[in-house]
Amino acid sequence: LLGVQQALTEEQFQTLKFLLEERLPLAQLRPATRPELCSLLLQRFPGRALRLTARLLRQIGRPDLVRLYRLPDAEEAIAEEKGNADGPSAPAGCGEEAGCPSVPPPLASPPPSARPRRLTENELIQIAKKLGKEWQEVGIGCLGLERSRLDQIREDNPQNVVMQSFEMLREWQQRQRQEATAPRLHACLAHARVDPAVLDLLQSFQGL
């Protein structure tokens, strides 16, 4: 389990934690390192941690790790990639997790649409309304935008904090292109001093 998580990029690891937010206590999940997250999964999902991890890996676009580590449903992932219409073989890999007494029934495979989509402008304006006056701090410290660009946005939208915040988010969206998703923005803001409602809103956009 730890080997799987260590194979993820930092962005993918943060997305994985984002997808777990309704399943694990946020106070433990958000600051968790990779070894700590492994312990949490094994404690909360005894006998099912590997299967849950396999499902989440496929949601974040890493089915290669499901096959590489022979996680449960690995055969199903291979069959789907080859367009095999036959049913999946018996799941393997249970022995990699200590104390796995039996193989639980397979979880439903997520549809292709489960891959995070790009945020819309309507969603960005909703986020902007909740960021408040700290939008510049967010832009510099969390989104990697230049102070000069934020000053220009403020000058172009005087006396309108919401529009200033919206234009900042749109600037970030244009730079990130198809990677401007709710999980990515959530990961950027997870440790920032923002209203918790912002993170809740991003989570709702992902349908979790």
Side-chain angles (χ1 to χ4, degrees):
L1 197 58
L2 180 58
V4 172
Q5 292 186 20
Q6 289 177 334
L8 298 174
T9 65
E10 180 60 27
E11 179 185 336
Q12 290 168 344
F13 179 61
Q14 293 300 328
T15 301
L16 183 73
K17 291 204 291 186
F18 175 75
L19 294 173
L20 284 166
E21 287 198 352
E22 285 197 350
R23 297 181 173 95
L24 295 172
L26 294 183
Q28 294 178 291
L29 176 63
R30 287 181 178 172
T33 63
R34 297 175 199 233
E36 290 169 345
L37 182 59
C38 288
S39 297
L40 275 175
L41 289 171
L42 291 171
Q43 290 168 9
R44 293 276 174 166
F45 309 102
R48 296 187 294 121
L50 285 175
R51 188 175 294 278
L52 174 60
T53 298
R55 180 181 181 182
L56 296 176
L57 287 172
R58 295 176 64 173
Q59 284 187 256
I60 65 175
R62 292 302 306 270
D64 57 308
L65 294 180
V66 177
R67 298 192 307 275
L68 179 63
Y69 288 90
R70 303 297 295 172
L71 298 181
D73 293 335
E75 289 82 357
E76 182 180 348
I78 295 170
E80 285 185 359
E81 288 192 355
K82 293 181 178 178
N84 191 342
D86 296 331
S89 304
C94 188
E96 295 180 38
E97 182 181 331
C100 179
S102 62
V103 178
L107 297 173
S109 301
S113 60
R115 186 176 180 85
R117 59 172 176 77
R118 192 170 187 256
L119 286 163
T120 67
E121 290 195 350
N122 180 56
E123 289 168 340
L124 292 182
I125 196 70
Q126 292 181 61
I127 298 166
K129 290 177 181 178
K130 296 184 181 298
L131 279 180
K133 297 179 180 179
E134 307 301 323
W135 65 275
Q136 284 184 291
E137 180 179 336
V138 169
I140 296 172
C142 303
L143 305 184
L145 302 179
E146 301 85 2
R147 177 64 179 269
S148 58
R149 176 61 182 130
L150 300 182
D151 288 342
Q152 181 183 347
I153 289 173
R154 185 176 58 186
E155 291 174 7
D156 292 344
N157 301 274
Q159 310 302 319
N160 193 331
V161 175
V162 172
M163 284 306 298
Q164 291 169 357
S165 181
F166 170 71
E167 289 297 337
M168 173 199 69
L169 291 170
R170 195 163 67 164
E171 177 76 15
W172 170 81
Q173 182 190 53
Q174 290 171 351
R175 295 186 183 195
Q176 297 297 320
R177 300 185 180 181
Q178 294 305 314
E179 297 302 316
T181 64
R184 188 181 184 97
L185 186 55
H186 187 284
C188 291
L189 303 182
H191 301 294
R193 293 188 301 170
V194 297
D195 186 334
V198 174
L199 301 180
D200 292 341
L201 185 61
L202 283 166
Q203 188 170 340
S204 72
F205 290 157
Q206 212 39 38
L208 300 173

